[in-house]
Amino acid sequence: MEHTTHTDEPTIIESIIAYIRDGNRKSAAAEYAVLVRRYSSKVIEFVSRMVAYRDDAQDIAQNTFIKAFNNLPKFEGRASFHTWLYRIAYNETFTHLKRQKKIFVSIDNADFTDVGIPDEEFATSSEERIQKLEAAIDLLPPDDQMLLHLYYYDDKPFKEIAFIMDTDGNTLRVRLHRIRRKLQGMITA
């Protein structure tokens, strides 16, 4: 009998779950490798937005894939595998940051008058505005930075972001509005 490699996500996931239930973790791991190859660079890039070092991002991504594999039988399909994986990566990243005891200033209490770019009375060039915006974003807590990245850079819909960040869409809309207002104040100050 010829071994067929599955290429669609639901079939791979069903196959892995069946192997796990049958106690055949070796075959399950072989099938899972397809998903790891498919998503590893995306997960590393996703995590890299919240941690300073690429090595940390790779470690967190590895932990994410291990945790996802071990919890695959619990995968309910309420979201795509990709979105579920991002949620695990998101949670693993914040667990890592807590372990590192990073201290982040609350956006509501921070002093944003100096973002490290010389104040010029009339900063008119797009490049200067972009630099000010990037510097202001760097001052935000990782959670707020992630919301901006998921919405603006990854172009994810609120429903998917809400699942990844384990909150509801309306809360995210309000947070995004507040972040935009705060950023506006930061770059015009």
Side-chain angles (χ1 to χ4, degrees):
M1 186 173 178
E2 191 177 310
H3 176 71
T4 335
T5 303
H6 303 290
T7 55
D8 67 317
E9 236 172 60
T11 305
I12 294 171
I13 292 167
E14 287 171 15
S15 176
I16 295 168
I17 291 171
Y19 283 134
I20 291 171
R21 286 189 181 134
D22 292 342
N24 190 344
R25 289 184 70 83
K26 187 174 182 179
S27 295
E31 288 282 328
Y32 190 64
V34 173
L35 296 175
V36 172
R37 280 191 299 276
R38 183 177 295 169
Y39 294 115
S40 62
S41 63
K42 292 176 184 176
V43 170
I44 291 169
E45 180 184 333
F46 176 75
V47 172
S48 292
R49 295 180 186 142
M50 294 186 282
V51 296
Y53 302 105
R54 181 123 178 119
D55 288 345
D56 288 343
Q58 291 171 335
D59 289 345
I60 293 167
Q62 182 177 3
N63 291 341
T64 297
F65 282 106
I66 291 168
K67 191 169 206 167
F69 179 77
N70 290 332
N71 287 290
L72 204 51
K74 298 176 187 172
F75 176 65
E76 298 171 358
R78 289 187 301 142
S80 69
F81 176 78
H82 177 256
T83 301
W84 183 69
L85 192 61
Y86 265 37
R87 182 175 187 168
I88 294 170
Y90 177 83
N91 291 333
E92 286 295 303
T93 301
F94 276 92
T95 299
H96 169 81
L97 291 173
K98 285 178 191 173
R99 266 189 253 125
Q100 297 294 317
K101 296 184 181 177
K102 301 283 184 190
I103 299 171
F104 298 101
V105 177
S106 168
I107 188 170
D108 296 323
N109 300 325
D111 177 17
F112 297 110
T113 55
D114 180 16
V115 291
I117 297 173
D119 286 327
E120 296 187 21
E121 197 169 327
F122 300 103
T124 57
S125 79
S126 294
E127 188 173 309
E128 288 176 55
R129 285 192 300 266
I130 290 170
Q131 286 177 342
K132 274 192 162 190
L133 180 60
E134 288 173 349
I137 290 171
D138 287 343
L139 293 173
L140 297 175
D143 210 30
D144 290 341
Q145 289 180 31
M146 185 52 57
L147 175 56
L148 292 172
H149 280 284
L150 288 169
Y151 186 74
Y152 289 109
Y153 297 111
D154 292 346
D155 203 28
K156 299 239 182 252
F158 276 113
K159 184 177 180 180
E160 199 168 327
I161 297 170
F163 182 83
I164 291 168
M165 297 182 81
D166 194 23
T167 189
D168 68 272
N170 290 332
T171 301
L172 288 177
R173 284 180 179 83
V174 170
R175 274 186 58 201
L176 187 60
H177 176 72
R178 288 180 181 160
I179 293 168
R180 285 189 294 228
R181 277 192 7 229
K182 187 62 77 172
L183 288 171
Q184 179 68 32
M186 291 166 63
I187 61 177
T188 58

